[in-house]
């Protein structure tokens, strides 16, 4: 595990003393997932928060028609988890490519927050950022065209379209793979160059 990477991610939200950093690292469990391996399945008891060091994870649900709907991608430096800790998971988390990540057990993290209250602030900021990102995605999904949403995806994840299957991106954007192909064939990938 690269300690500097996860400590830098923590410092994006809070300032920590060396003692607090060491206490956090002590509850981090380095893990690896193969491509297509599940970290969590809907209905499983959810006990962890995950931090991606390399690779890509996705969270998704199965809709009423049995189709997978991607909710979130987590690449290097991103956090991902289900929304319900210590309860049956509402979504699934799966690796889309070989992934190295850190698992942080919720019960261990809960004990850490009691000893070092700064981690309550960290977790609140993490939840806040996730909530605002989800709200923004929901609003833009309702007010922008599919092409504009794909442009936003390219801005947020500049290299991910070359790393994962295109149908995963289409699912994330809420469009069919066929419609996604038509958007790409119209040259929308040029947006990546315009905004880089």
């Amino acid at each position: 595990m690269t300690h500097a990477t996860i400590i830098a991610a923590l410092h994006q939200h809070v300032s920590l003393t060396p003692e607090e950093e060491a206490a956090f690292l002590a509850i981090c469990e380095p893990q690896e997932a193969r491509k297509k391996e599940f970290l969590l399945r809907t209905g499983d008891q959810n006990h962890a928060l995950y931090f991606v060091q390399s690779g890509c994870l996705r969270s998704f649900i199965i809709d009423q028609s049995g189709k997978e709907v991607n909710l979130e991608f987590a690449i290097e430096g991103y956090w991902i988890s289900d929304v319900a800790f210590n309860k049956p998971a509402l979504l699934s988390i799966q690796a889309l490519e070989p992934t190295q990540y850190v698992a942080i057990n919720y019960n261990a993290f809960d004990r850490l927050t009691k000893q070092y209250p700064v981690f309550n602030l960290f977790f609140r900021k993490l939840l806040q950022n996730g909530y605002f990102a989800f709200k923004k995605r929901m609003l833009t999904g309702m007010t922008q065209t599919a092409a504009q949403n794909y442009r936003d995806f390219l801005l947020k994840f500049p290299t991910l379209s070359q790393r994962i299957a295109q149908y995963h991106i289409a699912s994330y954007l809420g469009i069919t793979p066929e419609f996604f192909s038509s958007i790409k064939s119209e040259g929308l990938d040029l947006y990546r160059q315009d905004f880089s």
Side-chain angles (χ1 to χ4, degrees):
M1 175 175 73
T2 308
H3 291 171
T5 308
I6 197 163
I7 292 301
L10 288 170
H11 279 279
Q12 289 177 352
H13 303 286
V14 290
S15 296
L16 300 174
T17 66
E19 180 184 347
E20 290 163 340
E21 290 177 1
F24 184 83
L25 291 173
I27 65 167
C28 291
E29 302 172 25
Q31 306 277 341
E32 291 186 8
R34 299 178 309 279
K35 184 176 180 177
K36 297 187 178 182
E37 183 177 340
F38 280 84
L39 282 64
L40 181 70
R41 290 181 188 268
T42 302
D44 288 352
Q45 196 76 4
N46 179 31
H47 294 293
L49 171 67
Y50 306 104
F51 177 77
V52 178
Q53 296 199 294
S54 67
C56 178
L57 302 176
R58 69 165 176 149
S59 67
F60 70 96
I61 59 169
I62 308 292
D63 71 11
Q64 292 178 338
S65 66
K67 186 174 66 174
E68 294 180 358
V69 179
N70 287 328
L71 304 174
E72 182 181 12
F73 296 115
I75 57 170
E76 294 81 5
Y78 278 64
W79 303 87
I80 191 170
S81 185
D82 185 56
V83 292
F85 282 117
N86 280 351
K87 295 180 181 176
L90 301 175
L91 49 80
S92 296
I93 298 176
Q94 182 186 39
L96 292 182
E97 55 187 13
T99 302
Q100 293 184 326
Y101 64 96
V102 172
I104 298 144
N105 178 277
Y106 175 74
N107 294 323
F109 184 78
D110 193 45
R111 289 190 295 272
L112 186 71
T113 63
K114 291 177 173 65
Q115 187 174 0
Y116 301 101
V118 68
F119 290 107
N120 280 314
L121 176 61
F122 159 74
F123 195 60
R124 180 172 62 80
K125 288 188 174 183
L126 204 61
L127 289 175
Q128 223 171 20
N129 290 348
Y131 173 77
F132 287 129
F134 182 75
K135 201 79 162 173
K136 180 182 176 187
R137 185 168 161 242
M138 189 172 68
L139 291 172
T140 56
M142 292 188 293
T143 59
Q144 294 186 157
T145 66
Q148 289 169 323
N149 289 331
Y150 181 45
R151 179 202 60 198
D152 289 349
F153 173 86
L154 291 174
L155 290 172
K156 184 174 181 179
F157 301 109
T159 64
L160 197 53
S161 63
Q162 287 92 49
R163 293 168 52 183
I164 64 174
Q166 301 301 289
Y167 64 85
H168 283 305
I169 299 171
S171 170
Y172 177 82
L173 295 174
I175 58 178
T176 65
E178 294 77 21
F179 186 47
F180 180 63
S181 292
S182 72
I183 289 173
K184 288 191 70 180
S185 69
E186 291 171 11
L188 194 63
D189 275 331
L190 295 175
Y191 274 113
R192 188 184 302 116
Q193 297 170 2
D194 293 342
F195 290 92
S196 59

